[in-house]
């Protein structure tokens, strides 16, 4: 009886979690992508694209050419999840003519490795959008691979971030009582994003050296190949970076050499490389060291549209 009660509680809890998670960010994005019609320009990437690409400004700036842009950027996603989103957008009678892929730092050459704990939050999309692609693309040890297979249909594992986020939000609110307000943006605490930058210029230089020995990661190469197979051109964009990131990291000679290496890799795949890292020079047009603020997103999207019009991609 006790086992039956425990099983019933677990089943009920999983059903509740599934219901609560039905409007998670990646599920909303997938629904919006499925419902979109006539998309000609698809923007893809992580939170830098999600925050930085303003589809309405891009459409207006492409006039008189009739275009319909869609922002498929998913915050905190990896290249494998982005490949899943692209493949779903290109299925059936795709009208996509140009795929705009935004990146920063070493995103294009970092190998797609993961453990089960990495499939958390928005990256949980790997569990349900195309788990076979995740298993094929990610470098995982045997135990993580087995656990992925076992738990991919268990909501309390797949959607655990939804519960954790509420607890963490409460914990942070309680911890900030009586303290000065913490600066936040749509993706979380601004200070947290400094953790995504290199620890020092020396560390960044070392990463550049390793990157110069690497090719494009498998998911990135596959994105380009899949887009070309459906008749779409690919523009790979080095996203605008805050002046701090520019002066501390992108001004290094090592980054210039790595960027030349990227250019060669991208040219070999018959895609277009566009360096927009220095397009936005005012710090107040950034929400933090990595993400554009709405005003910066408008400026970037308008300039991106102008560049793509100049390229005359067909």
């Amino acid at each position: 009886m006790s086992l039956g009660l425990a099983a019933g509680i677990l089943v009920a809890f999983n059903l509740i979690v599934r219901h609560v998670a039905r409007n998670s960010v990646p599920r909303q994005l997938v629904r919006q992508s499925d419902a979109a019609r006539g998309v000609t320009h698809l923007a893809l990437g992580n939170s830098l694209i999600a925050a930085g690409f303003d589809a309405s400004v891009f459409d207006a700036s492409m006039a008189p050419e009739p275009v319909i842009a869609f922002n498929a950027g998913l915050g905190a996603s990896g290249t494998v999840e982005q490949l899943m989103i692209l493949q779903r957008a290109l299925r059936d009678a795709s009208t996509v003519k140009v795929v705009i892929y935004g990146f920063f730092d070493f995103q294009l050459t970092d190998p797609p490795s993961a453990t089960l704990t990495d499939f958390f939050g928005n990256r949980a999309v790997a569990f349900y959008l195309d788990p076979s692609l995740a298993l094929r693309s990610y470098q995982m040890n045997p135990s993580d691979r087995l656990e992925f297979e076992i738990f991919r249909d268990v909501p309390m594992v797949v959607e655990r971030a939804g519960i954790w986020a509420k607890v963490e939000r409460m914990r942070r609110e309680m911890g900030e009582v009586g303290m000065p307000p913490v600066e936040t943006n749509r993706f979380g605490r601004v200070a947290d994003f400094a953790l995504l930058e290199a620890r020092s210029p020396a560390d960044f230089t070392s990463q550049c050296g390793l990157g110069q020995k690497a090719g494009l990661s498998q998911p990135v190469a596959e994105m380009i190949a899949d887009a070309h197979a459906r008749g779409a051109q690919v523009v790979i964009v080095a996203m605008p970076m805050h002046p701090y990131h520019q002066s501390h990291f992108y001004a290094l000679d090592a980054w210039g050499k790595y960027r030349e290496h990227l250019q060669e890799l991208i040219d070999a795949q018959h895609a277009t490389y566009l360096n927009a890292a220095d397009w936005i020079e005012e710090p107040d047009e950034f929400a933090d060291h990595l993400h554009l603020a709405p005003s910066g997103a408008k400026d970037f999207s308008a300039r991106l549209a102008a560049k793509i019009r100049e390229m005359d991609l067909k």
Side-chain angles (χ1 to χ4, degrees), residues 43 51 97-98 110 118-119 137 144 169 195 199 220 229 247 253 262-263 282 286:
K97 296 179 180 178
V98 179
D110 282 344
D118 291 323
F119 300 108
S137 301
D144 282 315
R169 190 177 300 114
L195 301 175
R199 291 189 297 270
V220 173
S247 62
D253 289 341
L262 284 183
Q263 176 84 62
E282 297 300 323
F286 288 85

Side-chain angles (χ1 to χ4, degrees), residues 167-179:
V167 174
E168 177 65 10
R169 190 177 300 114
M170 183 182 300
R171 185 192 68 78
R172 289 188 175 188
E173 289 174 355
M174 292 176 65
E176 292 168 5
V177 172
M179 301 294 289

Side-chain angles (χ1 to χ4, degrees), residues 245-264:
H245 199 88
Q246 287 279 342
S247 62
H248 280 69
F249 304 119
Y250 284 6
L252 297 170
D253 289 341
W255 175 252
K257 294 176 182 177
Y258 174 73
R259 192 173 60 204
E260 291 175 2
H261 176 61
L262 284 183
Q263 176 84 62
E264 293 173 358

Side-chain angles (χ1 to χ4, degrees), residues 7-269:
I9 292 172
L10 281 174
V11 170
F13 183 63
N14 274 287
L15 291 174
I16 291 170
V17 171
R18 174 174 290 173
H19 178 75
V20 171
R22 70 192 186 284
N23 286 321
S24 66
V25 171
R27 291 185 186 276
Q28 289 185 58
L29 177 64
V30 170
R31 287 198 297 268
Q32 292 165 2
S33 177
D34 288 349
R37 295 290 181 270
V39 173
T40 57
H41 292 67
L42 181 72
L44 195 68
N46 57 21
S47 58
L48 273 70
I49 276 287
F53 184 79
D54 188 318
S56 61
V57 170
F58 183 88
D59 289 354
S61 300
M62 289 290 287
E65 182 180 347
V67 305
I68 298 175
F70 182 81
N71 188 341
L74 179 63
S77 63
T79 52
V80 177
E81 292 84 56
Q82 293 152 15
L83 173 59
M84 293 177 187
I85 293 169
L86 174 65
Q87 290 182 342
R88 191 175 182 99
L90 293 179
R91 65 180 184 171
D92 303 327
S94 172
T95 56
V96 175
K97 296 179 180 178
V98 179
V99 174
I100 301 164
Y101 184 79
F103 78 97
F104 86 111
D105 288 3
F106 310 103
Q107 188 177 329
L108 299 182
T109 54
D110 282 344
S113 59
T115 65
L116 187 71
T117 57
D118 291 323
F119 300 108
F120 183 82
N122 289 350
R123 291 188 70 183
V125 72
F127 280 117
Y128 53 83
L129 195 56
D130 193 342
S132 63
L133 177 58
L135 289 169
R136 173 171 64 82
S137 301
Y138 272 118
Q139 299 170 10
M140 289 189 280
N141 64 43
S143 62
D144 282 315
R145 189 172 295 274
L146 177 61
E147 290 174 352
F148 184 96
E149 288 273 28
I150 293 172
F151 294 119
R152 72 187 195 188
D153 295 317
V154 181
M156 62 185 292
V157 175
V158 173
E159 305 291 359
R160 65 194 185 280
I163 302 168
W164 177 88
K166 291 179 173 57
V167 174
E168 177 65 10
R169 190 177 300 114
M170 183 182 300
R171 185 192 68 78
R172 289 188 175 188
E173 289 174 355
M174 292 176 65
E176 292 168 5
V177 172
M179 301 294 289
V182 176
E183 188 178 1
T184 62
N185 59 33
R186 60 183 281 196
F187 298 106
R189 295 193 302 188
V190 169
D192 289 346
F193 296 108
L195 301 175
L196 299 178
E197 294 183 288
R199 291 189 297 270
S200 67
D203 181 63
F204 191 83
T205 296
S206 177
Q207 293 181 64
C208 287
L210 293 174
Q212 288 180 61
K213 301 174 184 177
L216 292 177
S217 72
Q218 172 265 322
V220 173
E222 198 165 335
M223 277 188 253
I224 297 172
D226 286 353
H228 287 169
R230 298 305 299 269
Q233 299 297 313
V234 179
V235 180
I236 297 181
V237 184
M239 292 296 289
M241 286 287 110
H242 189 280
Y244 174 91
H245 199 88
Q246 287 279 342
S247 62
H248 280 69
F249 304 119
Y250 284 6
L252 297 170
D253 289 341
W255 175 252
K257 294 176 182 177
Y258 174 73
R259 192 173 60 204
E260 291 175 2
H261 176 61
L262 284 183
Q263 176 84 62
E264 293 173 358
L265 293 175
I266 292 167
D267 287 348
Q269 298 297 318

